[in-house]
Amino acid sequence: MTEQKSSKNNRILSLYVSLCEGKVINKSEAAKKFNVDERSIQRDIDDIRAFLDEQRTGDFADNRTIEYDRSKKGFIMAGEEGSMMSNSEILAVSKILLASRAFTKREIGSILRKMIGGCVPLKNMQLVKELLSNERFHYVELHHKNCIQDKLWELGADIQEHNLVEITYARAEHTEETITRLIEPMALLFSEYYFYLNAFIVERQADGSCKHKYSYPAIFRIDRIKTYSKAGEKFRVSYADRFEEGEFRKRIQFMYAGELMRIQLRFYGENPEPVLDRLPTARIIGQKDHEYTISAEVYGKGIVMWLLSQGNKIEVLRPESLRQEMKQKAEEILKLYR
């Protein structure tokens, strides 16, 4: 009896795998292959249908069904498993990952293999691989060539556990030089090719306690963090003072830290959508013909880099200090071309 049950289970699994691979199950051919009658194959199909019905009750609804295709004279699997990404989703995400250039060649290769192998139906796997093959072949990794996945996970755990962390960090201008910082890690962010750690720099006081050095968080590029270790202490964050990662992300440009400031711009053009998309806190407060007055909140001076990239389409109105800085930058650029 046990041997018969094992044989039936193996038969059902074989049929299930074949259906997942996009193959057609013809009852008479399957009966001959497994040396059973067609009624046994029909019962196997019914068992697979019952299994798929149970899968529809989870958080990720499984919409796969077993249907009879008259043109193919057999049973096929239709639909997709709910917990898996669709072909178009996996292709889109893979394209974004490749365009981000955030990982080394070894890392991106491993990530894509796992995503495609774990999410793409077997019958479409080769097509997805071919659609990505050229872009993978010409993938250019960043110059630092550091693997950062383990750092991301470990620092993410420190954020969740509120661990005070000591890091050594390579300076941007002189990468061979490092500085040591005691930090309260707050959030992990990604922007323009790099992963970043948001953290408050803290300083030891005479009584042994820690105090924030600045009122705003510093930003550290993950690949420049050379060493990191737990300081053996926890830091406390009250609910009222908790760090709002999403709100911070709306107000930061090019990961340049600094004080929060409200700016006012004038956009010259027919469609201000690029400004509104780039600055999530932006809102239009005035309009005249093809001129839009826009207000926004931003952190730090990273906004200057973006404003300079907009040429004569944007004029800074407020604050006056930012307007004067933009004027000075424009004059310095003009000198280069004289």
Side-chain angles (χ1 to χ4, degrees):
M1 179 68 73
T2 303
E3 186 176 343
Q4 290 179 346
K5 185 176 181 181
S6 174
S7 177
K8 179 183 178 181
N9 289 342
N10 289 339
R11 188 176 69 242
I12 292 174
L13 283 172
S14 178
L15 292 172
Y16 176 73
V17 170
S18 294
L19 288 165
C20 289
E21 291 176 343
K23 296 177 180 177
V24 180
I25 302 298
N26 178 279
K27 275 202 295 188
S28 62
E29 292 176 1
K32 290 178 183 178
K33 176 182 177 181
F34 295 105
N35 197 26
V36 295
D37 56 33
E38 293 186 20
R39 287 178 298 176
S40 295
I41 299 299
Q42 183 61 59
R43 285 193 291 269
D44 295 342
I45 295 293
D46 291 339
D47 286 342
I48 295 173
R49 280 175 169 158
F51 168 74
L52 293 178
D53 285 341
E54 291 177 4
Q55 298 301 104
R56 295 191 184 94
T57 60
D59 293 334
F60 299 98
D62 192 333
N63 66 359
R64 293 179 299 170
T65 58
I66 307 301
E67 300 175 359
Y68 184 79
D69 190 319
R70 293 185 181 277
S71 64
K72 297 178 180 178
K73 297 180 181 180
F75 294 93
I76 62 169
M77 182 178 286
E80 296 173 342
E81 186 175 350
S83 61
M84 290 186 177
M85 299 168 71
S86 67
N87 295 329
S88 58
E89 287 172 339
I90 197 72
L91 184 60
V93 171
S94 298
K95 288 282 187 180
I96 292 170
L97 280 172
L98 286 163
S100 75
R101 296 176 60 202
F103 302 97
T104 63
K105 277 189 173 183
R106 181 164 63 85
E107 286 176 315
I108 196 70
S110 174
I111 291 170
L112 290 179
R113 279 195 301 273
K114 291 173 183 176
M115 286 179 60
I116 294 170
C119 298
V120 178
L122 293 176
K123 61 183 178 180
N124 297 321
M125 195 173 291
Q126 189 58 37
L127 175 60
V128 174
K129 286 181 178 178
E130 289 173 1
L131 287 170
L132 296 173
S133 62
N134 185 262
E135 202 163 352
R136 281 188 63 181
F137 180 79
H138 292 287
Y139 182 79
V140 179
E141 61 186 1
L142 299 177
H143 288 287
H144 65 73
K145 293 181 173 59
N146 291 324
C147 295
I148 48 84
Q149 291 182 73
D150 290 341
K151 285 183 185 178
L152 285 174
W153 179 255
E154 291 167 15
L155 289 169
D158 289 327
I159 291 169
Q160 289 298 108
E161 297 167 8
H162 294 170
N163 291 323
L164 203 64
V165 176
E166 184 174 274
I167 65 170
T168 56
Y169 188 72
R171 295 179 180 274
E173 300 83 5
H174 306 286
T175 53
E176 69 281 359
E177 297 180 12
T178 60
I179 54 176
T180 301
R181 290 284 185 263
L182 190 62
I183 60 170
E184 295 177 356
M186 290 289 146
L188 296 169
L189 301 170
F190 176 79
S191 178
E192 278 85 30
Y193 308 125
Y194 304 109
F195 285 96
Y196 295 87
L197 173 67
N198 265 30
F200 284 101
I201 298 174
V202 297
E203 295 179 319
R204 290 283 186 190
Q205 304 302 297
D207 61 1
S209 64
C210 293
K211 182 180 179 181
H212 288 179
K213 186 174 182 179
Y214 306 106
S215 61
Y216 51 86
I219 300 174
F220 300 96
R221 231 174 74 180
I222 298 290
D223 61 281
R224 288 187 185 151
I225 297 177
K226 299 304 180 183
T227 64
Y228 54 97
S229 59
K230 296 178 179 63
E233 299 177 45
K234 303 283 186 181
F235 61 90
R236 301 182 67 179
V237 180
S238 67
Y239 183 81
D241 296 329
R242 71 192 187 284
F243 182 76
E244 296 284 0
E245 180 180 343
E247 292 302 312
F248 181 83
R249 188 67 182 85
K250 291 178 185 178
R251 294 165 172 80
I252 194 75
Q253 297 296 316
F254 298 106
M255 293 297 144
Y256 277 76
E259 298 282 358
L260 181 66
M261 65 176 170
R262 178 169 290 280
I263 62 174
Q264 198 172 104
L265 315 169
R266 181 170 292 133
F267 173 78
Y268 299 96
E270 295 184 0
N271 184 7
E273 190 175 278
V275 180
L276 302 178
D277 287 342
R278 183 72 200 193
L279 308 175
T281 61
R283 60 188 181 91
I284 297 172
I285 58 175
Q287 179 182 354
K288 180 183 178 183
D289 297 327
H290 298 311
E291 296 179 9
Y292 296 83
T293 303
I294 297 172
S295 175
E297 281 187 342
V298 296
Y299 276 107
K301 294 300 180 69
I303 187 65
V304 174
M305 294 176 62
W306 180 76
L307 289 170
L308 289 170
S309 73
Q310 300 306 297
N312 62 357
K313 284 188 171 293
I314 289 183
E315 175 189 0
V316 175
L317 303 178
R318 297 175 187 169
E320 183 61 27
S321 59
L322 181 60
R323 182 180 174 86
Q324 291 303 316
E325 183 175 355
M326 289 298 296
K327 182 179 178 181
Q328 180 183 341
K329 295 286 185 185
E331 290 173 347
E332 290 172 357
I333 291 172
L334 185 59
K335 287 179 183 177
L336 297 176
Y337 292 93
R338 283 176 179 165

